[in-house]
Structure formats: structure tokens, C-alpha cells
Amino acid sequence: MSAMTVKKRPSPILGAASAMIGEASGDLLMSRDSRFHHSIELRVDHIAPDPDQPRKMFSEEELDGLAASMSEQGQLQPILVRRDPIDRGHWIVVAGERRWRAAQRLGWGLILAIEHSGDPEILALIENLQRVDLTPVEEARGLKRLIDGKGWSQNQAAEALGKTKGEISATLRILSLPEDILDGVLTSELGLSRNVLVELSRVDEPSVRERLIQSARSGTLSVRAIRAAKAQDETPEVTEGRPSSGITAPGVNLASVERLVSNLRGLRPSALKDKDRDRLRALRAAIDALLG
């Protein structure tokens, strides 16, 4: 009887391994049609922060707290990284720099990461805005860098970040303030909120703006104080129940009067002094006379 040729069946283990190798790229397993790859373990010392990261200041207390949580619970969420374009064996943080810094503090050799091949600038800014509040200055500078780098309009930036054009415009106006004010907010030396900074940036009259900036440097400025100063500056002078020449002159800017009324509506009645009430009454009488 002649020997029969027996065809061996392929090993399922080798088949699975071959499939994995076929999908692998570099040192990680990835999906062919996804911008996100599977999670991998990377050496902590082979990762560097993004030099264009919007957040420049990290609270030592926050990092200590995060490190304590990671020590007890482990790393619950991978960081996002992209390959270093200069050294392909190293990586740059796209999102999750606080987790990477906490891992450094703990002396970890490895950290869980996911390679991301999308737009790192957009992702980094969105991740920071959603997870850890940026200071208004960090947000404004990061936004400007993003818009300038991409050549975007404010409408395009608003669409990408899920904000309105008004919010984008207001944030960027913060950068018109003096650098010492911006640096003071950045280092927390000046406790000025985003609303205060935006309101101050909208003051156009140089003398009023400078007076308010001096108050800002002392950390005593509020939105109410800014609006009161703008209202006082925009109030037309009234004498003996008659409007000033600015009201009756041809080409009068009624928009300034409208802004005045809008600002005054934001004040509580108790914020008006007796002399301010008298001037408003006289102004009302003058307007009534003009309308006939």
C-alpha cells in the first residue's frame, strides 16, 4: 500500500499570531481605519511634554493629589501621544500631561498610552478645556496660537471647539490687555476672573481704561466697577435741564446712548448716587423735549 500524503491543518495559535503581526505597526497593535490605536505601554522617560501645550503652569497640590490617586487606584485612563518627528523612538504628549507628570513623581517606568494621529493642537486644547480649567490667559493664548497656526477664521475656530463666535472673540480680546496684567493672572498673583478681563478689554476710552487697569493691578477690580466707570464716562453732560451740544450736534452717535442705558440696567438701584439720579432725570427730560 502506497503512502498517502497528509495535508497538515494550520495551527490556530500560529494563525492568530500571524494575524496580530500583520496588523502591527512599530511597537503597537492598531486598527487600520481608526485614528486611535490600541493602548500600549511606553517608557515614561521616552515621553516629553508638548512645547506648544496651552497649559504652562501646573499646581503642585493637584499633581500630588493625582499621584496619590494613581498610586492607590492605578492609571485609569491612558494618555494620548504622537511620535516625535525627530526621534521616532520617542513620543510627545498630546493629552494627559498631568497623568504623565504624576507617573514621573511616582517613579513609574512605564505608562499606559494611546497613539493618536489626528490634529494634536485641536485635541490638546479641547482636552485641557474639558478636564482642567485653563486660566483665561492660557485659554486665550492657546486659542490664538491655534487660529494663527491653522489660518482659521473665528467662525472656523468656533465650529471646531464647539463655541460661539462671540465666545471666541471675547476670549481673544483678553490679549489686548497689558502683559503685566496677563502675567499676573497666569501666575495667580492677580485674582481677576475671565468676566472681569473680558469686560476690561472692551473699554475703548484710553483714560477710563488706564484708570481701570490701575485698579486691576491692585486686584480690586470687578465687572460692576468696570460697567459703572464706562457708564459715567459715556453719560452726556446736562446743564439746567438742557442737553449738551453733543446730544443736539448733527451725526450724534446714538449707539453710545444705547450702550449707556444697557450698562445702567445692569446696576442695582442702590448703586446710583443722588447726583447720578439728578443727571439721569435731566437727561430724560432733555430726550423728551427732543422727541417733542
Side-chain angles (χ1 to χ4, degrees), residues 11 13 18 21-22 34 53 55 58 66 84 87 90 98 115 129 143 171-172 179 182 193 211 230 247 255 259 269 285:
S11 165
I13 297 178
S18 176
I21 293 172
S34 173
Q53 149 78 283
R55 174 170 286 277
F58 292 87
L66 179 57
D84 189 323
D87 185 349
H90 286 71
R98 292 171 67 250
E115 183 181 9
L129 290 173
L143 180 59
T171 299
L172 292 174
E179 284 297 320
L182 301 181
S193 69
R211 185 170 69 250
K230 289 170 62 178
I247 284 289
R259 288 197 301 269

Side-chain angles (χ1 to χ4, degrees), residues 52-82:
D52 293 327
Q53 149 78 283
R55 174 170 286 277
K56 300 301 182 184
M57 307 294 293
F58 292 87
S59 165
E60 296 296 319
E61 185 177 352
E62 287 182 359
L63 289 176
D64 287 340
L66 179 57
S69 175
M70 289 172 59
S71 176
E72 180 179 351
Q73 304 292 334
Q75 183 187 352
L76 301 180
Q77 186 176 16
I79 65 172
L80 297 183
V81 296
R82 58 185 171 91

Side-chain angles (χ1 to χ4, degrees), residues 106-229:
L106 293 171
W108 287 4
L110 299 172
I111 189 171
L112 195 62
I114 296 177
E115 183 181 9
H116 177 64
S117 57
D119 192 312
E121 294 176 277
I122 298 176
L123 186 64
L125 185 57
I126 293 177
E127 198 268 352
N128 275 282
L129 290 173
Q130 291 178 340
R131 296 189 177 279
V132 180
D133 291 337
L134 296 174
T135 67
V137 176
E138 287 173 324
E139 180 183 359
R141 287 175 174 171
L143 180 59
K144 185 177 187 304
R145 183 168 60 248
L146 182 63
I147 288 176
D148 291 347
K150 300 298 177 185
W152 282 353
S153 66
Q154 291 188 13
N155 282 331
Q156 289 173 307
E159 182 178 353
L161 299 175
K163 294 180 176 291
T164 66
K165 182 183 177 182
E167 290 174 316
I168 297 296
S169 177
T171 299
L172 292 174
R173 282 187 69 110
I174 292 175
L175 299 179
S176 68
L177 298 174
E179 284 297 320
D180 65 314
I181 297 293
L182 301 181
D183 291 341
V185 173
L186 191 63
T187 59
S188 299
E189 293 179 6
L190 296 177
L192 301 176
S193 69
R194 180 183 187 278
N195 288 343
V196 168
L197 295 173
V198 170
E199 196 72 30
L200 180 58
S201 70
R202 289 172 173 163
V203 178
D204 296 322
E205 175 57 39
S207 60
V208 178
R209 183 183 175 97
E210 182 57 34
R211 185 170 69 250
L212 291 171
I213 284 176
Q214 292 301 326
S215 297
R217 290 189 173 108
S218 66
T220 60
L221 195 60
S222 67
V223 171
R224 181 177 298 172
I226 297 172
R227 290 178 177 174

